[in-house]
Amino acid sequence: MLFRSNLLGADANLLLGADATAPKLNEAIESNPPRVLHLATHGLMGSSERPLLASLALTTPAEPTLGDTGFVTLEDILSTWGARLKGTELVVLSACDTARGVQQGDTSMALPLGLFVCGAETVIASQWKVDDTATALLMSRFYANWLGKTDSERVIDGITYAPGQSLSKLAALREAQAWLRGLNSEQVATITAAMSGTDGVTAVAQFTRGGDDELADATSSDFPFAHPFYWSAFVLYGSPE
C-alpha cells in the first residue's frame, strides 16, 4: 500500500516485509509502547465457532510455530498484550474488515475490542473490504490533518483550521473522507504518482476497479472515489480528540 510513513516522524519503528512478524510486533509493543500503532495489512473475520480468530495477516514464517503462525488474532491480543497499549493514543487498522466480528450478545468479537481492553484510547477500523489506493490517500490525509502537517487550511463541520493547525482525530478523519470523495482523476494521478514515484498512467491504473458492475456504474471517471465504498469504510471508535 502507498503510504507516507515519514508523516509519523523519524522515531517511527517500521516493521516491513520480513520484519513484519508477530514476534517482532509483540516485542516492539512490549519494549516501547507506541503513541500510534498503524497496521497496514490484510484483515480477516473470525467465525461463529471461533470468533477470537478475527486477525491481521503478518509475514508468514518458513516454519509456523505456536508463537508465530503469521497472524495476530484477537485471542493473541487479549491473552498476551495485557495493558501494553496504555498511553497509546491511536491504533489504525488499515486493512479489510477490521471493524467486523461475530456478535455475541451486545459485544462484537472484533479486533477493536482487544485493543481497547489493552488500553488504546482510539481505534480506526474498516467495515468492509477496502481499496488500496483510496485507503493510502485517506490515511496520508488523515495523519497530515491530525499531526498538523498541513500547508493549506482545512474546513470541516463549519470550522476552519489554519495551515499547520492540528485537527482532532474525528475531524481529521471526516475532513480526509470529504477530501477523498472530491478528488478528480487528474488530482488522484498526480498525488499517487508523487507518493509512489510512478507516472500518472500507472497511478490511474492502480485505482481502476473491476468485477463489480454496480460499483462501476456508480463510480464517476471524473471523481473516481466519490462512491461511499471508497471513503466511508473507516470508522472511529473511542476518543474523538
Side-chain angles (χ1 to χ4, degrees):
M1 176 183 292
L2 304 172
F3 182 66
R4 291 170 56 201
S5 58
N6 61 306
L7 283 169
L8 298 179
D11 294 333
N13 183 9
L14 301 180
L15 298 177
L16 305 173
D19 289 329
T21 65
K24 289 192 175 184
L25 176 60
N26 293 335
E27 179 184 351
I29 291 173
E30 183 175 3
S31 62
N32 187 20
R35 176 193 174 199
V36 178
L37 177 60
H38 182 93
L39 297 166
T41 179
H42 299 290
L44 300 94
M45 285 183 59
S47 64
S48 56
E49 294 79 17
R50 302 192 66 181
L52 292 176
L53 283 186
S55 58
L56 295 169
L58 301 176
T59 298
T60 304
E63 295 184 11
T65 64
L66 289 177
D68 187 7
T69 63
F71 297 87
V72 59
T73 67
L74 175 57
E75 183 174 16
D76 294 332
I77 293 170
L78 290 169
S79 63
T80 64
W81 287 17
R84 292 175 184 165
L85 296 183
K86 273 196 169 183
T88 297
E89 297 178 32
L90 174 66
V91 179
V92 177
L93 303 178
S94 185
C96 299
D97 296 321
T98 51
R100 299 180 64 197
V102 176
Q103 199 71 22
Q104 292 193 341
D106 294 332
T107 303
S108 176
M109 304 300 287
L111 292 166
L113 169 66
L115 298 167
F116 283 125
V117 169
C118 293
E121 295 178 14
T122 305
V123 177
I124 292 178
S126 64
Q127 302 176 89
W128 52 75
K129 295 186 184 302
V130 295
D131 178 86
D132 277 357
T133 302
T135 299
L137 292 168
L138 178 72
M139 291 300 168
S140 291
R141 182 79 171 192
F142 164 75
Y143 279 112
N145 289 344
W146 180 50
L147 298 172
K149 296 186 177 183
T150 57
D151 55 11
S152 61
E153 70 177 23
R154 303 290 198 250
V155 180
I156 191 68
D157 297 330
I159 301 174
T160 299
Y161 299 84
Q165 182 179 358
S166 299
L167 282 65
S168 70
K169 297 167 193 166
L170 182 58
L173 178 61
R174 284 177 49 75
E175 196 282 337
Q177 290 171 325
W179 169 81
L180 180 64
R181 67 177 179 258
L183 288 179
N184 61 41
S185 297
E186 184 177 351
Q187 290 171 317
V188 171
T190 299
I191 296 168
T192 52
M195 291 171 66
S196 65
T198 64
D199 58 30
V201 174
T202 303
V204 170
Q206 289 175 324
F207 67 78
T208 301
R209 193 177 172 87
D212 189 329
D213 293 338
E214 182 178 347
L215 180 59
D217 290 343
T219 299
S220 165
S221 59
D222 292 332
F223 297 92
F225 298 137
H227 192 279
F229 168 84
Y230 293 105
W231 58 263
S232 65
F234 286 95
V235 293
L236 183 148
Y237 301 91
S239 172
E241 299 303 322

